[in-house]
Amino acid sequence: MTYTGDVTCEQAWQRLVENPKAVLVDCRTQAEWSFVGVPDLESIGKRALFIEWIDYPDGAPNPNFVGELAAAGVGTDDEVLFLCRSGHRSMGAAEAAVAAGYAQAYNIQDGFEGPIDADGHRGGAGWRAAALPWRQS
């Protein structure tokens, strides 16, 4: 593993509540934010950061990802929690963050919607399924 580790959605939420230096970075695409929904951290006085790891629709990696992370005010000593749809892209984002000097870069397992189930659907796991705050953007 070339990132700090994996956390569940519930653990990520607890870290966001308890640690003033914990930051949630939603690394899905603009389309996902617009059509699926986004985490809502307003009740704890925080806001999620939205930085695409992979561009939509061409699927190209965002060459400015780490620069955008720094430009958003995320410090290398912050605890950074990366969220994608299912917990796969966020691993890559966490790896890139660690390679750039971020000491605490975590992948949120199951992401926002979780893996595909036996019926070919998402939504049985992840941020929304855990009943954590979210909203349509």
Side-chain angles (χ1 to χ4, degrees):
M1 179 182 320
T2 56
Y3 55 95
T4 310
D6 297 306
V7 295
T8 66
C9 296
E10 295 87 352
Q11 289 168 328
W13 176 258
Q14 197 62 38
R15 289 171 184 222
L16 288 161
V17 168
E18 294 174 356
N19 182 358
K21 294 186 69 67
V23 179
L24 178 67
V25 177
D26 188 329
C27 62
R28 295 176 297 151
T29 64
Q30 176 67 49
E32 290 169 299
W33 303 326
S34 297
F35 298 109
V36 179
V38 296
D40 184 356
L41 308 183
E42 185 177 308
S43 68
I44 58 171
K46 292 186 175 184
R47 63 179 181 84
L49 300 177
F50 301 99
I51 306 171
E52 288 183 319
W53 171 244
I54 302 290
D55 183 51
Y56 178 83
D58 63 357
N62 176 358
N64 300 316
F65 182 78
V66 172
E68 290 178 33
L69 197 59
V74 180
T76 56
D77 62 336
D78 289 339
E79 181 177 22
V80 191
L81 303 152
F82 291 98
L83 177 79
C84 69
R85 177 181 60 196
S86 63
H88 181 72
R89 283 174 286 171
S90 48
M91 280 190 240
E95 289 173 341
V98 166
Y102 290 83
Q104 299 180 77
Y106 293 89
N107 170 53
I108 300 176
Q109 296 172 323
D110 293 328
F112 194 72
E113 298 179 85
I116 295 174
D117 66 17
D119 294 321
H121 303 125
R122 293 188 190 277
W127 190 273
R128 288 192 318 182
L132 293 170
W134 70 281
R135 62 178 171 76
Q136 291 297 141
S137 64

